[in-house]
Amino acid sequence: MSSQTASAETRQRAHLERLEAAYASILATQGFDAVLIYSGHAGVHFADDQETSFRSYGHFVHWTGASHHQHDWLLIQPGSMPRWYYYAPADFWHLPTPAPTGVLAQMMTLEPLRDTGWPPPRQISARRLAVIGDLDASAMPLGAELNPPGLLAALDELRMRKDDHERHCLFVANQWALAGHEAARAAFADGAGELDIQLAYLAATRQREFQVPYQNIIGINHHAGTLHYQHYDLEAPEVPRSLLVDAGHAHAGYAADITRTWASAHADPLFERLLEGVIDYQQRLIARLAPGLSFVDLHREMHRHLAELLVETRLVKLSAEAAVACGLTRAFCPHGLGHSLGIQVHDVAGRQRDDRGTPLPPPAEDPALRLTRTLDAGMVVTIEPGLYVIPMLLEPFRHGAQRDAVDWAAIDRLQDHGGIRIEDNVIITTDGHDNLTQGTSVVEG
């Protein structure tokens, strides 16, 4: 066994031991003897025999790393080894799921299931059993409780702080995603359109489309101004000006979520200056990350930086303070600064205060902000400021009280560039932060 393999196994073993101890404490606090976690299963398209794409339930993946297993169950009962019922039917139409191996096989009792349905009830002896997952409440075993809110809140909170195994998975996912972004940039430079850039990204990251953690956003020119642009033009535009790629990778169930924006040789010089400005203050925001920092405050700081850039480039003729106060910066960037990242791209517990699930809603002026917590060591966040020319958001200002405060001729020139977003994935450490996207957290193994 290589030292890298041994190191990876040591991290995974420690991860599972941490989960065993944490689940035992959480179940005791919540008054449950055991929890049965369902991985989920794909739906079928209406009036068809083809399944929709599928991703396993996050709390199941937290233990197993198996992000595409259907019809699996995991029984966690303190005092006994975790028991993994993996669906492996006798089937000649599809390749059955192989038995888990390595550390998972060493630290769990494995049992194949030949049919869909519940695990054998004789093996579940809990007096009070919780069942979590996407299930029908009417089909619960007698006495079992489906998705108890208090238990889910505590398990969500457990996923907020990542251990060394999870951190390494996120780092590896970032390295693959960065390779994809470089391939996308090269394809754009060679004149490729959106679909071919997408295919170049998938080839470089060695993924099929159903394996990416979210649908890749590949937007050329004005398409970059649609925040979750969901289509790929087959042909490149006559004059390519800009490219925005928001795309990731998943490793052992953990997601990278990276965005890059590039200007072509045909881009307006003002767009290039704005791009430089967003890159600069994105790095300044990352430099501020540390335990004890309010993410809401950092989000507001993003708007101050954005306002200063708009004023400096003469797009806006107000003071930076006035541009924020009148809502103009939110027309240029309507989304939040970032979110929690882990097994889910927009990971759980970002808007709850504690393990009781106490709500922590976003400010009224920023309803799209997905992370409202004070940062703590082990949390992983995205930092993704943006600057977009979105006509429907700017139109009220064009005809409102601030109509003379904006250089509308420059806005019209920039409209075909769409917008800018720069996004890195950062883990909060005890003494600051570590940018997983910049390659500063290389871990052997």
Side-chain angles (χ1 to χ4, degrees):
M1 180 187 299
S2 70
S3 61
Q4 289 188 350
T5 301
S7 180
E9 291 187 354
T10 298
R11 285 192 298 268
Q12 187 176 20
R13 187 176 296 276
H15 170 69
L16 292 175
E17 289 172 349
R18 179 175 79 93
L19 292 190
E20 285 190 29
Y23 265 64
S25 175
I26 290 169
L27 288 170
T29 299
Q30 296 292 325
F32 290 100
D33 300 302
V35 58
L36 186 62
I37 308 172
Y38 182 49
S39 70
H41 63 273
V44 177
H45 291 293
F46 180 68
D48 200 346
D49 62 356
Q50 298 297 305
E51 291 184 343
T52 61
S53 60
F54 170 76
R55 185 164 292 111
S56 304
Y57 180 40
H59 291 309
F60 173 84
V61 178
H62 201 194
W63 284 87
T64 65
S67 55
H68 296 282
H69 277 227
Q70 300 190 52
H71 305 292
D72 282 18
W73 300 86
L74 190 64
L75 176 64
I76 308 300
Q77 191 161 10
S80 301
M81 289 179 69
R83 185 179 291 269
W84 184 352
Y85 303 89
Y86 64 96
Y87 179 57
D91 188 2
F92 56 84
W93 289 103
H94 305 94
L95 185 67
T97 302
T101 59
V103 172
L104 292 169
Q106 297 164 17
M107 296 187 67
M108 295 184 181
T109 299
L110 305 178
E111 184 167 338
L113 289 178
R114 300 307 181 193
D115 300 297
T116 61
W118 292 85
R122 67 182 183 278
Q123 296 178 353
I124 305 174
S125 58
R127 292 187 303 271
R128 190 175 179 215
L129 173 68
V131 180
I132 59 175
D134 186 9
L135 292 156
D136 183 355
S138 66
M140 288 299 98
L142 186 64
E145 297 180 41
L146 177 63
N147 296 326
L151 177 61
L152 289 180
L155 296 182
D156 287 352
E157 183 71 13
L158 178 62
R159 281 169 48 188
M160 276 296 293
R161 294 164 185 83
K162 277 68 176 179
D163 56 35
D164 287 345
H165 167 72
E166 296 172 287
R167 169 193 173 125
H168 182 70
C169 291
L170 288 161
F171 171 71
V172 173
N174 266 263
Q175 297 308 294
W176 278 106
L178 285 170
H181 279 270
E182 284 304 310
R185 182 181 189 177
F188 180 59
D190 287 342
E194 292 167 350
L195 176 61
D196 288 317
I197 292 171
Q198 162 74 344
L199 296 175
Y201 185 95
L202 294 175
T205 55
R206 311 303 293 164
Q207 297 178 103
R208 295 168 64 183
E209 280 204 327
F210 80 88
Q211 294 174 307
V212 295
Y214 57 97
Q215 180 175 303
N216 291 346
I217 300 166
I218 312 284
I220 294 178
N221 292 357
H222 66 281
H223 289 159
T226 299
L227 301 186
H228 286 173
Y229 173 66
Q230 71 273 40
H231 304 294
Y232 304 127
D233 277 354
L234 301 185
E235 305 296 335
E238 280 189 32
V239 183
R241 305 183 191 279
S242 63
L243 170 68
L244 186 151
V245 176
D246 185 338
H249 186 88
H251 177 75
Y254 289 82
D257 178 8
I258 301 172
T259 309
R260 293 291 183 261
T261 306
W262 296 284
S264 80
H266 306 289
D268 190 294
L270 177 56
F271 181 81
E272 295 183 272
R273 174 66 191 92
L274 293 169
L275 176 57
E276 292 170 359
V278 174
I279 292 171
D280 175 69
Y281 72 71
Q282 190 247 12
Q283 291 299 304
R284 283 191 276 163
L285 291 168
I286 290 174
R288 295 262 289 113
L289 294 173
L293 178 67
S294 163
F295 202 79
V296 173
D297 288 347
L298 194 67
H299 170 82
R300 289 170 174 153
E301 188 172 325
M302 174 194 76
H303 278 282
R304 290 195 294 273
H305 285 306
L306 173 56
E308 289 164 0
L309 179 60
L310 294 173
V311 172
E312 178 191 335
T313 55
R314 301 183 184 277
L315 264 177
V316 170
K317 302 165 191 174
L318 299 170
S319 68
E321 294 77 10
V324 174
C326 74
L328 193 50
T329 58
R330 285 169 173 81
F332 281 101
C333 183
H335 62 71
L337 172 61
H339 51 80
S340 180
L341 179 71
I343 291 167
Q344 292 167 225
V345 174
H346 300 139
D347 214 6
V348 292
R351 289 178 170 182
Q352 71 181 43
R353 188 185 305 275
D354 48 38
D355 62 1
R356 295 185 299 277
T358 309
L360 201 60
E365 67 273 18
D366 294 304
L369 183 59
R370 298 178 186 269
L371 181 59
T372 55
R373 302 182 59 141
T374 296
L375 299 179
D376 194 12
M379 292 182 178
V380 177
V381 300
T382 67
I383 300 296
E384 48 181 306
L387 194 170
Y388 313 88
V389 177
I390 304 175
M392 67 177 291
L393 297 182
L394 290 171
E395 201 64 19
F397 292 92
R398 190 186 289 262
H399 302 291
Q402 286 80 29
R403 59 185 175 274
D404 296 328
V406 177
D407 184 346
W408 296 109
I411 293 294
D412 292 340
R413 293 201 319 271
L414 292 171
Q415 184 172 328
D416 196 36
H417 297 66
I420 298 162
R421 184 162 64 252
I422 304 295
E423 178 182 20
D424 287 4
N425 306 162
V426 187
I427 186 166
I428 309 303
T429 62
T430 54
D431 58 355
H433 63 274
D434 200 350
N435 191 336
L436 301 173
T437 309
Q438 297 296 327
T440 58
S441 60
V442 176
V443 183
E444 291 187 3

